[in-house]
Amino acid sequence: MGKFTISKRKNDEYQFNLKAGNGEIILTSEGYTTKANCQKGIESVRINSQDDSRYDRRVAVNEKDYFVLKARNGEIIGKSQYYSSKSSMEIGIDSVKTNAPTAEIVDETL
């Protein structure tokens, strides 16, 4: 079972990571100024992760494949790691779709 972990960055912004059942990070958020907004971001991932059109598949300057998950308003909610192939990236997207709806939330800032 996957989980969302909430943590604090060095600049005091909050962020979340969505981890797969094996503990691997499959999606990382942008920075949030408040924990409440970070939690709203998690809820947005839960909702938007089920809609394939919300995934923007990209190629980085280093030729690695990655994806971003966008909300309905076009804002980026989270970004994946870099993958060595398009098929690996698609497996990552499937993992977000599988894990996000029921992932527990672990607040590491407490």
Side-chain angles (χ1 to χ4, degrees):
M1 179 176 180
K3 66 181 173 181
F4 286 100
T5 57
I6 297 174
S7 59
K8 216 168 186 187
R9 295 178 174 179
K10 288 183 176 142
N11 65 0
D12 279 341
E13 288 185 334
Y14 293 89
Q15 77 171 34
F16 64 81
N17 287 308
L18 174 59
K19 296 182 179 182
N22 64 3
E24 185 153 340
I25 296 172
I26 49 179
L27 193 72
T28 299
S29 76
E30 305 295 313
Y32 295 94
T33 55
T34 67
K35 190 185 294 187
N37 285 340
C38 186
Q39 291 165 328
K40 286 179 186 173
I42 290 171
E43 290 311 309
S44 186
V45 169
R46 289 190 196 280
I47 294 164
N48 291 289
S49 65
Q50 301 309 294
D51 184 345
D52 194 67
S53 70
R54 301 273 188 254
Y55 292 90
D56 188 1
R57 293 149 171 93
R58 300 178 175 185
V59 178
V61 292
N62 64 0
E63 307 280 320
K64 300 283 186 180
D65 295 290
Y66 73 103
F67 63 87
V68 295
L69 177 62
K70 293 184 175 182
R72 178 176 285 140
N73 64 5
E75 289 283 317
I76 294 174
I77 313 166
K79 180 183 166 198
S80 74
Q81 64 181 11
Y82 293 116
Y83 294 95
S84 58
S85 67
K86 290 196 185 318
S87 60
S88 295
M89 177 184 64
E90 292 300 328
I91 291 168
I93 290 171
D94 287 341
S95 185
V96 172
K97 289 177 180 178
T98 300
N99 287 284
T102 59
E104 68 174 313
I105 299 174
V106 177
D107 188 343
E108 296 178 343
T109 66
L110 299 175

